[in-house]
């Protein structure tokens, strides 16, 4: 097939998008989402040559750095432009405005392609795609501010209520409790590790869903994403977790805080510089204590 000839891949592509742009700028493009990630996808010295550029059907180059952002380096395809001069040098290409417009259009169409896979009849297709390329999507959230919200809709996580399936942020927001103001998440090395975390106690007691973020790149992506659908993303293990309370609950908490003030001071004296402060927590129910990271710390 054309895809196998173009890419030297041994199996067929997962999905394809063919489109043409007309108006001030004319070009045609064919983009393929592969079925699996190459083993050397994040190799720094790897030559990125997955997008081949033609000008009026004459091959110009396959150095895709100028055509597609790094986080989309796994996408394969062909671009045929009507507007670039045939004798253009590589140095001129790097400064070329037309190329920047093509890059922007390709990025937009790639996100459309991934959204089509996510919304297709076959849930298995998106599951395969996400397993292979979720790191790329999260890298895109970290690097591509213009498309951050669109990419956030493609994210999938296990949660305290998702069982054996993953959930999207949109589905999470739909299930939120009426008085819940934030999207809660917990980071950790594996689903098994975070499921047992004492940080979930108060949140699950209130019936709030908590997303499990177990990929190291998740922390970087969330730092940039910050919120989704006007709901702030709040980490269950960091300082600044404020759960919604009734007036009676607030009053009871203040009284409890005053009662344990001396104990907290004494524990801070004993622990000294090993901790920043000791305070009464409303994030645990059965566990005696937890170590909390500073809001902007690690």
């Amino acid at each position: 097939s054309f895809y196998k000839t173009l890419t030297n891949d041994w199996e067929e592509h997962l999905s394809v998008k063919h489109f043409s742009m007309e108006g001030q700028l004319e070009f045609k493009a064919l983009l393929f989402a592969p079925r699996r990630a190459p083993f050397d996808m994040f190799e720094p010295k790897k030559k990125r040559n997955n997008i081949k550029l033609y000008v009026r059907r004459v091959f110009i180059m396959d150095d895709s750095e100028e055509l597609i952002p790094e986080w989309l380096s796994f996408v394969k395809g062909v671009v045929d432009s009507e507007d670039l001069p045939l004798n253009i040098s590589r140095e001129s290409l790097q400064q070329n405005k037309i190329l920047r417009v093509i890059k922007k259009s390709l990025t937009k169409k790639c996100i459309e392609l991934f959204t089509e896979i996510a919304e297709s009849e076959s849930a298995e297709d998106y599951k395969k795609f996400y397993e292979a390329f979720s790191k790329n999507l999260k890298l895109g959230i970290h690097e591509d501010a213009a498309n951050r919200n669109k990419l956030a809709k493609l994210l999938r996580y296990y949660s305290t209520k998702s069982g054996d399936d993953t959930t999207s942020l949109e589905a999470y927001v739909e299930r939120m409790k009426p008085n819940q103001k934030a999207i809660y998440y917990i980071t950790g090395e594996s689903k098994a590790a975070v499921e047992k975390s004492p940080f979930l106690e108060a949140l699950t007691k209130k019936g709030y869903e908590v997303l499990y973020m177990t990929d190291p790149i998740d922390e970087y992506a969330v730092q940039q994403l910050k919120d989704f659908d006007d709901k702030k993303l709040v980490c269950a293990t960091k300082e600044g977790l404020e759960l919604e309370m009734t007036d009676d609950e607030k009053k009871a908490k203040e009284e409890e805080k005053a009662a344990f003030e001396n104990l907290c001071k004494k524990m801070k004296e004993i622990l000294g510089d090993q901790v920043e402060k000791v305070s009464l927590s409303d994030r645990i129910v059965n566990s005696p204590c937890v170590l909390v990271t500073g809001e902007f710390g690690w």
Side-chain angles (χ1 to χ4, degrees):
S1 77
F2 174 71
Y3 171 74
K4 287 183 180 176
T5 312
L6 177 76
T7 62
N8 295 325
D9 202 342
W10 51 273
E11 61 181 343
E12 282 297 342
H13 54 274
L14 180 67
S15 192
V16 60
K17 191 162 192 72
H18 178 232
F19 66 97
S20 55
M21 295 284 287
E22 290 172 359
Q24 286 183 315
L25 184 66
E26 280 188 40
F27 72 91
K28 296 184 182 76
L30 192 59
L31 301 172
F32 297 97
R35 282 192 178 274
R36 65 188 69 230
F39 66 91
D40 58 350
M41 184 158 63
F42 292 108
E43 202 68 46
K45 290 180 183 153
K46 186 191 175 191
K47 187 170 184 278
R48 282 164 48 200
N49 58 355
N50 285 337
I51 304 283
K52 313 237 180 300
L53 176 66
Y54 289 75
V55 173
R56 296 188 283 286
R57 284 160 290 289
V58 175
F59 177 70
I60 301 296
M61 67 164 188
D62 61 359
D63 183 355
S64 57
E65 279 186 40
E66 305 305 321
L67 285 167
I68 209 154
E70 188 183 358
W71 64 273
L72 283 171
S73 60
F74 66 92
V75 176
K76 302 179 180 192
V78 182
V79 176
D80 184 19
S81 169
E82 296 290 327
D83 300 287
L84 287 164
L86 275 169
N87 59 350
I88 193 164
S89 69
R90 187 154 296 209
E91 288 72 30
S92 308
L93 265 176
Q94 288 170 352
Q95 307 301 322
N96 198 291
K97 281 182 186 171
I98 294 171
L99 223 57
R100 284 200 287 274
V101 175
I102 292 175
K103 186 176 185 175
K104 195 175 174 183
S105 296
L106 292 183
T107 305
K108 184 184 165 193
K109 292 293 179 184
C110 283
I111 295 170
E112 281 178 21
L113 173 63
F114 307 153
T115 306
E116 283 163 18
I117 302 171
E119 291 171 357
S120 69
E121 300 282 311
S122 169
E124 198 56 39
D125 276 356
Y126 191 68
K127 194 177 174 186
K128 273 183 195 167
F129 172 82
Y130 195 76
E131 277 171 12
F133 304 113
S134 62
K135 282 185 171 61
N136 296 75
L137 298 178
K138 290 165 188 175
L139 187 63
I141 280 177
H142 189 264
E143 293 180 352
D144 191 341
N147 292 301
R148 202 164 278 152
N149 290 338
K150 288 179 190 169
L151 286 170
K153 291 179 181 178
L154 296 169
L155 296 178
R156 299 290 183 271
Y157 293 106
Y158 288 105
S159 80
T160 49
K161 292 185 180 178
S162 71
D164 294 330
D165 292 321
T166 54
T167 182
S168 66
L169 292 174
E170 280 181 297
Y172 178 105
V173 170
E174 282 170 19
R175 289 193 296 272
M176 279 172 69
K177 295 273 177 188
N179 62 338
Q180 187 181 339
K181 293 189 176 72
I183 296 170
Y184 298 106
Y185 68 92
I186 183 168
T187 55
E189 57 190 34
S190 68
K191 181 175 178 248
V194 293
E195 275 176 334
K196 299 185 182 80
S197 171
F199 287 104
L200 300 178
E201 290 175 1
L203 290 164
T204 49
K205 189 183 177 188
K206 279 184 171 284
Y208 295 161
E209 186 173 0
V210 184
L211 299 171
Y212 300 151
M213 297 195 178
T214 54
D215 191 341
I217 199 172
D218 283 327
E219 289 223 36
Y220 295 100
V222 170
Q223 276 177 6
Q224 299 299 329
L225 187 60
K226 293 189 178 67
D227 55 48
F228 178 81
D229 197 10
D230 296 327
K231 306 280 189 294
K232 195 179 173 189
L233 272 82
V234 175
C235 182
T237 65
K238 290 191 175 181
E239 193 182 7
L241 178 72
E242 290 178 6
L243 301 178
E244 289 75 26
M245 290 183 183
T246 62
D247 291 339
D248 289 344
E249 283 173 331
K250 282 178 188 171
K251 190 182 174 190
K253 189 189 171 186
E254 287 303 318
E255 286 169 4
E256 199 176 18
K257 193 176 174 183
F260 284 92
E261 193 176 350
N262 290 335
L263 176 66
C264 291
K265 276 183 186 170
K266 190 67 183 169
M267 289 188 80
K268 170 63 179 143
E269 280 173 29
I270 295 165
L271 293 166
D273 292 339
Q274 292 177 70
V275 294
E276 192 181 311
K277 61 181 175 182
V278 177
S279 60
L280 209 62
S281 174
D282 55 359
R283 73 179 79 208
I284 45 180
V285 179
N286 301 317
S287 303
C289 64
V290 284
L291 282 170
V292 177
T293 319
E295 194 174 351
F296 304 105
W298 293 90

